[in-house]
Amino acid sequence: TAVPFAQGVLWRLSRDRLPDSFVFGTLHVADARVVAMALEIDKPLAASRALALERIVDDLTGPRVQGVEQLAEGARLEPLIGADAYARACTLLLAQGVPEAAAARMKPWAAMLRIARQPLHDPEASLDQRIVAQARARKLRAVQLEWLKEQAAAFDAVPRESQVAVLLHILDYPELLHEERAAVVDAWLRGDLEALWRFPERASSRRPGMGPHYLQFARHVVQNRTLLMHHRLVVPLRSGRVFVAVGAEHLPGGKGLLALAQRDGYTLTRLL
């Protein structure tokens, strides 16, 4: 089945007599090739008055973030994933600076994200940080599309068994995590968003039984959050000159941000 808007990471949104807005699909990884894309979006940013982000970039290790990552009082991660897996997870989490007490009570999805996330030793290595810096230099107004508790609630909605299954998967097969990250970066640089869309299918083909668990993450963490972002964008886009920068996985598909904007009456033109 053809995937709508399967190609392209930067799009212009035009409608009636409104000034143009732009939608850019970012990639949250530390890769110099990805960061270099900041130069390609300078002109659309310069033509904008507002920057719309999933969340205003903040400290990913701060107490507010750690709070939503913790299991309910008394609950522990080890009984959920087993002693052996917990020991391996704890080693990786401690290496990232997570306190042992916090690691012991971490939700499975939070442990998975922490372990899967490529550490940013230099803030300048983040494309999101570069975009924010460029926007601040131009004094663009910031529009937040999602609150921290809403983002956490999306992950909490993933069935616990799927959270555990995916965490165990990346612990058991760390080489797949590195391979997938490289594949995602290469696809993004080509503007191939369909490759991101098809990830659950690839996971299922490589590890039978994992597909349904990754589909649960896609449903709650990507699709449902996309609907919320679209809702929050309706009013700002009516004034035009908005530069939207969200994870590239939110762009493609029949219920992706681009298709939803098209249904709202915008004409979409691929720029990159």
Side-chain angles (χ1 to χ4, degrees):
T1 305
V3 177
F5 298 103
Q7 303 288 325
V9 296
L10 177 63
W11 294 77
R12 180 172 63 234
L13 273 60
S14 307
R15 180 179 174 183
D16 302 328
R17 298 179 181 178
L18 288 179
D20 291 340
S21 289
F22 305 89
V23 176
F24 179 57
T26 67
L27 206 57
H28 312 309
V29 299
D31 187 293
R33 296 170 298 166
V34 173
V35 177
M37 195 67 76
L39 297 174
E40 302 288 340
I41 61 172
D42 194 56
K43 285 186 178 180
L45 266 175
S48 303
R49 288 181 177 171
L51 171 66
L53 298 168
E54 295 170 46
R55 276 198 309 116
I56 305 303
V57 179
D58 55 16
D59 181 10
L60 294 174
T61 62
R64 289 177 63 247
V65 175
Q66 289 183 1
V68 300
E69 292 180 335
Q70 300 291 287
L71 290 161
E73 190 62 41
R76 295 291 183 268
L77 178 60
E78 184 174 2
L80 296 176
I81 65 175
D84 177 64
Y86 175 73
R88 286 180 283 144
C90 202
T91 298
L92 294 169
L93 292 170
L94 292 177
Q96 290 200 22
V98 177
E100 188 171 359
R105 294 187 49 225
M106 193 162 278
K107 295 173 182 176
W109 66 256
M112 180 272 293
L113 283 186
R114 292 273 181 172
I115 292 168
R117 183 182 297 133
Q118 188 175 6
L120 295 173
H121 302 294
D122 176 3
E124 291 301 311
S126 162
L127 175 57
D128 298 270
Q129 291 281 8
R130 286 289 183 90
I131 293 171
V132 170
Q134 289 173 236
R136 284 176 176 165
R138 298 183 183 282
K139 295 181 169 50
L140 269 61
R141 177 172 58 90
V143 177
Q144 183 160 307
L145 302 178
E146 181 181 45
W147 303 103
L148 176 61
K149 287 186 177 180
E150 292 172 333
Q151 190 177 78
F155 282 96
D156 286 339
V158 176
R160 181 63 58 80
E161 64 177 4
S162 292
Q163 295 182 36
V164 169
V166 172
L167 173 56
L168 292 175
H169 188 223
I170 67 169
L171 286 171
D172 290 340
Y173 304 100
E175 71 281 0
L176 293 182
L177 180 64
H178 297 300
E179 290 175 13
E180 181 60 30
R181 180 184 291 142
V184 165
V185 170
D186 289 342
W188 184 84
L189 291 170
R190 297 193 309 270
D192 181 7
L193 299 188
E194 184 170 0
L196 278 64
W197 174 269
R198 302 276 185 201
F199 172 71
E201 294 179 14
R202 295 200 304 278
S204 185
S205 65
R206 298 184 70 172
R207 292 290 165 186
M210 285 304 302
H213 297 301
Y214 280 105
L215 281 171
Q216 287 287 352
F217 273 89
R219 175 190 170 195
H220 293 286
V221 178
V222 179
Q223 296 168 16
N224 289 350
R225 289 175 60 223
T226 299
L227 293 174
L228 175 61
M229 293 175 198
H230 169 253
H231 174 73
R232 295 258 164 84
L233 277 169
V234 170
V235 173
L237 286 176
R238 286 176 183 166
S239 299
R241 299 187 69 179
V242 178
F243 189 95
V244 182
V246 297
E249 67 273 14
H250 295 287
L251 269 57
K255 295 181 180 179
L257 205 55
L258 297 175
L260 293 173
Q262 189 177 60
R263 290 175 200 170
D264 289 339
Y266 292 93
T267 297
L268 277 68
T269 305
R270 179 183 175 182
L271 301 179
L272 196 63

